Amino acid sequence: MHPLQTVSPSEVAAWHRIVAASTAHDLPGVPPPGPEQIHSQLTGPALGSRRLTWLATGADGAPAGVAALRLFTSPGQEHLAELELHVDPAHRRLGSGARLLSAVVAASRAENRRSLITTAAADGPGQAFAERHGFRRALTLDHLVLRLDGTVASDLLRTAGAEHPGYRLTGWTGTVPDDLADAFAAAKNAMNDMPMGDLDYGSVAWDADRVRAMGRVVADRGDALLTVAAVHDDGTMAGYTEVVLPLGVGPRAQQYDTAVVPAHRGHGLGLWVKAAMVRRLRAEHPGVVEIETDNADENVHMLAVNHRLGFRSYRRTHEFQLDVPAS
């Protein structure tokens, strides 16, 4: 096992093979990331964080497992690290995962992180591994998919066209336009009251520079970031929703943030902007046929919005947290 200081093309290829095999085994039916996405993840910039990576080999010298540690650097999250760990099913139960985790915990401690979080499919091998190594369950996420066809799409197009007196819709691709950057940053801060269960996630203060940086990071890794927002007559951004089209623009889009500013809640704006995003996808990206999102079990309001839109649950994951020992 060794840390990766710089990632070579052969190491990117090995990483992709391991992640694809792990995903196919543990999450049947979930599309694995493509080689381009893995390359971007390992070599591209990250927002408010930096990354450490390790590659483990088996007794025969073949790549067996990988681990990536995201070290958050933004004020309010300097205590936090996030783990992604995969072991090729053919190499499991031989100690590769434990060795990788040991290196990750040591690095977290050296970086003065008190909380290490990771995600695992409910009742799957990742959950058993996390629990065996002292992680505790801190949050449960319900993953949902919306098909953009048939009756559901027709209903959403009507919802998107509904009038909301005092508000107008706007949208952009990539980095937020300069004239909306401050208003968008203010709306982004509404995400800080999202239910997070027992997860020690901290909070992030958004400003215009940070929302611009977010747009650049997504573009630099080759993904397309689409945003639809509701703007009040007074210029306040009342709510927004974001969707990412992964590099290669496959049939499934990934939902990012959706938020409504507290002062503007209760007017159906969350439903409105999400329906307007569906209308936009059908018009601009007809090859996208579904959107995947996830919601914390505690976020009953957004779950209700998504179910009303036509999202249907198809799997569950847990967020696990390890309290990193000081020594």
Side-chain angles (χ1 to χ4, degrees):
M1 183 188 70
H2 60 278
L4 302 180
Q5 304 300 330
T6 58
V7 184
S8 69
S10 63
E11 288 166 336
V12 170
W15 194 292
H16 175 256
R17 286 195 301 271
I18 291 168
V19 172
S22 173
T23 301
H25 183 274
D26 298 344
L27 299 171
V30 176
E36 301 89 350
Q37 289 173 272
I38 294 294
H39 180 270
S40 175
Q41 172 190 339
L42 294 175
T43 62
L47 180 65
S49 62
R50 54 190 177 87
R51 186 185 301 108
L52 303 177
T53 53
W54 292 262
L55 174 67
T57 54
D60 58 359
V66 293
L69 182 66
R70 183 182 180 191
L71 298 164
F72 292 81
T73 56
S74 298
Q77 289 190 311
E78 299 105 323
H79 66 286
L80 184 65
E82 184 175 27
L83 166 66
E84 180 182 356
L85 190 153
H86 296 272
V87 176
D88 188 319
H91 290 267
R92 291 183 180 176
R93 300 189 180 278
L94 298 173
S96 294
R99 292 195 303 273
L100 287 165
L101 179 59
S102 179
V104 164
V105 172
S108 299
R109 185 184 302 117
E111 295 285 347
N112 297 313
R113 306 299 159 134
R114 70 169 184 259
S115 298
L116 176 63
I117 62 175
T118 193
T119 304
D123 302 319
Q127 175 175 334
F129 178 86
E131 292 173 342
R132 188 163 63 248
H133 289 277
F135 286 79
R136 58 181 174 81
R137 190 187 305 179
L139 182 70
T140 296
L141 297 173
D142 193 11
H143 293 251
L144 309 98
V145 169
L146 174 67
R147 293 283 305 178
L148 306 183
D149 54 14
T151 304
V152 168
S154 299
D155 290 344
L156 291 177
L157 295 178
R158 286 193 292 272
T159 300
E163 292 290 331
H164 286 72
Y167 299 93
R168 63 178 175 86
L169 289 172
T170 189
W172 61 90
T173 299
T175 303
V176 60
D178 286 343
D179 62 329
L180 292 173
D182 288 326
F184 185 42
K188 270 280 189 182
N189 284 306
M191 290 297 296
N192 283 326
D193 68 0
M194 181 175 63
M196 294 299 293
D198 296 324
L199 207 62
D200 184 17
Y201 197 76
S203 61
V204 175
W206 290 87
D207 58 19
D209 288 340
R210 184 176 176 86
V211 296
R212 292 190 186 100
M214 179 195 71
R216 290 193 295 269
V217 164
V218 175
D220 287 347
R221 71 181 188 224
D223 297 344
L225 174 64
L226 279 61
T227 307
V228 170
V231 179
H232 191 264
D233 287 345
D234 65 5
T236 301
M237 190 169 291
Y240 67 92
T241 190
E242 299 166 320
V243 160
V244 166
L245 307 181
L247 180 64
V249 192
R252 178 177 292 184
Q254 297 292 327
Q255 179 76 60
Y256 269 35
D257 291 351
T258 299
V260 176
V261 174
H264 296 274
R265 291 174 183 168
H267 301 290
L269 299 182
L271 191 69
W272 191 36
V273 294
K274 287 173 77 79
M277 178 64 80
V278 170
R279 179 175 63 185
R280 182 177 174 187
L281 285 172
R282 284 174 59 86
E284 299 177 12
H285 302 278
V288 175
V289 298
E290 57 190 15
I291 303 173
E292 179 178 356
T293 190
D294 61 71
N295 290 121
D297 275 359
E298 292 92 338
N299 197 350
V300 293
H301 175 72
M302 190 54 68
L303 274 170
V305 167
N306 282 328
H307 285 143
R308 184 175 172 188
L309 284 163
F311 281 89
R312 295 293 177 260
S313 301
Y314 84 108
R315 66 185 181 99
R316 291 165 70 79
T317 59
H318 300 306
E319 296 283 327
F320 289 91
Q321 180 170 310
L322 178 69
D323 299 325
V324 179
S327 61

